[in-house]
Amino acid sequence: MKTTTAEKRKRRHTRIRTRISGTAERPRLVVFRSLKKNYLQLIDDVAKKTLVAESDAAFLKDGKKVERAKKVGIELAKKALVKGITSCVFDRNGYKYHGRVKAMADGAREGGLKF
């Protein structure tokens, strides 16, 4: 039986999630990338709630995917700082840390989040 790329990513994500968990003080910053859009969420795993979420749906025509990914990180950091969240735990969701994933992380750091 062949395993698909999505199944391999899901397996990596499950392995990562055994070690990473977010709290209200230090939520988990989760990355998701589809073929067209980029998504970021700050999740409190204790209360099982999404505290802040952002995607690049608002600025789909503004440049390339990597540039939009950085904007998503900056916008999420602005929303998080308004809610009083300054630090988080980064969850790359099984993706490699390069390209759009790295751009979102760099944008969040540039916006003021610490992780």
Side-chain angles (χ1 to χ4, degrees):
M1 184 174 153
K2 284 193 169 190
T3 55
T4 64
T5 306
E7 289 170 341
K8 288 178 184 177
R9 184 192 68 79
K10 193 68 177 161
R11 198 172 296 149
R12 279 192 304 270
H13 176 61
T14 305
R15 197 167 52 236
I16 290 166
R17 283 286 290 123
T18 59
R19 289 173 271 147
I20 295 175
S21 181
T23 63
E25 298 82 36
R26 197 155 182 238
R28 181 169 52 100
L29 178 63
V30 184
V31 171
F32 180 75
R33 58 183 179 91
S34 69
L35 292 175
K36 293 184 179 183
K37 295 182 184 172
N38 305 303
Y39 303 89
L40 278 177
Q41 291 181 327
L42 282 172
I43 298 177
D44 176 5
D45 289 317
V46 176
K48 296 184 175 142
K49 291 198 175 184
T50 301
L51 305 174
V52 182
E54 185 63 43
S55 75
D56 64 354
F59 33 87
L60 273 177
K61 304 289 185 228
D62 298 351
K64 299 186 179 196
K65 291 178 192 176
V66 176
E67 295 164 0
R68 290 195 318 257
K70 189 165 188 170
K71 285 184 185 178
V72 170
I74 292 169
E75 292 299 316
L76 180 107
K78 286 179 187 174
K79 286 183 179 181
L81 292 176
V82 168
K83 288 199 171 192
I85 300 167
T86 57
S87 66
C88 62
V89 179
F90 187 69
D91 180 4
R92 61 188 174 88
N93 208 356
Y95 299 113
K96 288 183 180 178
Y97 186 78
H98 77 292
R100 290 192 275 164
V101 175
K102 185 177 185 299
M104 284 189 261
D106 290 344
R109 282 191 191 102
E110 190 177 302
L113 282 178
K114 292 184 179 80
F115 53 94

